[in-house]
Amino acid sequence: MQFEIPTPSTTFEVPLEDGARIRMRRHGNPDGVRLLVTHGNGFAADAYFPYWQHLLSKFDVLVFDFRNHGQNVPVVPSNHHYAQLARDLERVVQETKAKLGPKKTAGIFHSMSARTAMKHAIEIGWRWDALMLFDPPDVPLKGHPLYESMEIFENRLTEWAKARRRRFASVDELTEEYKQSRATGRWVAGEHELMARSVLRKAPDGNGYELTCAPENEAAIYEQALTLDLWPRASEFGGPVKLIGCDPNFKGAPATGPANQALGIEGSYDYSFVEGTGHLLQVEKPDECIKLTLQFLGKHGLA
């Protein structure tokens, strides 16, 4: 099975403060509620198509990648840190409104982008009618019983990313690498190839392919997760927030599962988890994730 991303009805670029640019792609129903949909660290928004394809009949879906990811051209210096990503998100929100006009809008974010959206909403401003956060790598404050497990988790990811191979002779080569990994075993059929296509770009020297998100940029984000001091209560946001974690009880699941469950309870969130999933729950069980998405948007008059 091979996923084919439909041709966007509209594309436009959002210029960022340092000359970087974000390519926005509009899909779906232009008369629907606007959804901004993006990805986690080292990934790309197109790779989440098994999830967001189910939103196209009803919603006006704006898909985009964060700087140095996906369809964007990487920049030097990379300015690849959470404070910059939060400012970039503000640019995306404002430019989308300027280009397409104001309308009801929800944000759907995973992992790194979910943490960025949290930081953006609390430190820059609330710009949403609703916000959905899929398995953000929430690091509790030092002294919390779960701090150490998240510290170990992020440090392991940092070391893994630093050692990550960056160049491939073909898309198939990375597809096979994904297929051999235990961590990707629960992805839906066709996702390994879609992910490889989404995160690679043709190498500028014409020699094969390279990761759009350089390993050192990916590692920097994992490292910074421990410095954000971001463990907010749901009431600190300016509107409705849904927190959806991976399965906190699943054998071999990442530390993000228990961390999100703890934040959900301690911060009085509208919290759910998807049974039997790891960190990439939207491409492991897209149907269950869509069900939760529609329930939440419907609850707030957006679906």
Side-chain angles (χ1 to χ4, degrees):
M1 177 183 176
Q2 189 175 62
F3 287 106
E4 290 301 332
I5 309 292
T7 302
S9 60
T10 310
T11 63
F12 60 93
E13 288 200 329
V14 175
L16 306 177
E17 63 195 45
D18 60 350
R21 304 178 83 78
I22 286 178
R23 185 170 185 266
M24 307 292 297
R25 292 94 71 186
R26 190 185 198 185
H27 295 275
N29 177 1
D31 298 323
V33 167
R34 183 176 295 150
L35 303 179
L36 266 61
V37 181
T38 186
H39 60 88
N41 189 24
F43 298 117
D46 278 355
Y48 293 66
F49 182 66
Y51 164 80
W52 59 259
Q53 66 177 337
H54 300 291
L55 300 168
L56 298 180
S57 61
K58 187 161 192 178
F59 298 96
D60 188 11
V61 180
L62 273 292
V63 178
F64 71 98
D65 305 300
F66 272 90
R67 64 168 54 231
N68 306 311
H69 282 88
Q71 294 190 22
N72 302 321
V73 178
V75 290
V76 179
S78 65
N79 293 326
H80 203 85
H81 52 82
Y82 271 110
Q84 182 66 59
L85 298 182
R87 293 196 297 272
D88 292 352
L89 180 55
E90 176 68 3
R91 286 279 181 112
V92 164
V93 170
Q94 298 302 346
E95 191 72 12
T96 299
K97 195 191 289 185
K99 279 266 193 297
L100 304 178
K103 67 154 71 169
K104 286 193 171 184
T105 302
I108 300 178
F109 298 92
H110 171 247
S111 192
M112 170 196 83
S113 70
R115 289 295 270 169
T116 299
M118 292 166 78
K119 185 176 177 68
H120 168 264
I122 285 168
E123 297 177 9
I124 295 177
W126 177 258
R127 308 287 184 248
W128 314 101
D129 292 286
L131 186 58
M132 298 198 73
L133 308 170
F134 280 92
D135 211 44
D138 291 311
V139 179
L141 306 183
K142 282 185 179 173
H144 189 284
L146 292 177
Y147 177 82
E148 193 181 345
S149 62
M150 279 303 293
E151 183 181 37
I152 291 166
F153 173 71
E154 294 294 357
N155 286 337
R156 274 190 191 143
L157 283 174
T158 302
E159 292 312 308
W160 170 81
K162 282 178 181 171
R164 192 174 180 187
R165 178 180 170 191
R166 74 178 68 218
R167 294 189 74 124
F168 299 84
S170 66
V171 173
D172 288 346
E173 210 169 58
L174 180 55
T175 302
E176 285 311 308
E177 199 172 281
Y178 282 138
K179 284 181 177 175
Q180 302 308 317
S181 169
R182 209 175 51 187
T184 66
R186 292 182 298 274
W187 291 2
V188 293
E191 174 61 25
H192 301 85
E193 189 268 344
L194 175 62
M195 182 66 80
R197 264 195 289 146
S198 304
V199 302
L200 290 173
R201 66 178 192 139
K202 285 189 173 169
D205 63 7
N207 209 354
Y209 294 80
E210 67 178 20
L211 294 170
T212 306
C213 181
E216 58 273 19
N217 288 338
E218 185 175 0
I221 291 295
Y222 293 132
E223 210 161 18
Q224 288 161 35
L226 299 169
T227 67
L228 292 182
D229 291 336
L230 195 60
W231 191 254
R233 298 185 64 78
S235 58
E236 291 176 52
F237 293 87
V241 178
K242 176 76 178 178
L243 181 62
I244 302 175
C246 67
D247 190 340
N249 312 308
F250 196 47
K251 192 182 174 205
T256 51
N260 276 304
Q261 187 177 49
L263 179 63
I265 294 164
E266 293 167 22
S268 303
Y269 282 80
D270 180 347
Y271 162 78
S272 304
F273 67 84
V274 180
E275 202 174 328
T277 58
H279 185 52
L280 266 91
L281 55 171
Q282 288 152 291
V283 300
E284 293 177 16
K285 293 199 171 180
D287 293 349
E288 288 84 342
C289 290
I290 282 294
K291 194 183 293 181
L292 288 170
T293 301
L294 296 177
Q295 281 173 358
F296 174 67
L297 294 175
K299 181 176 167 182
H300 297 287
L302 301 170

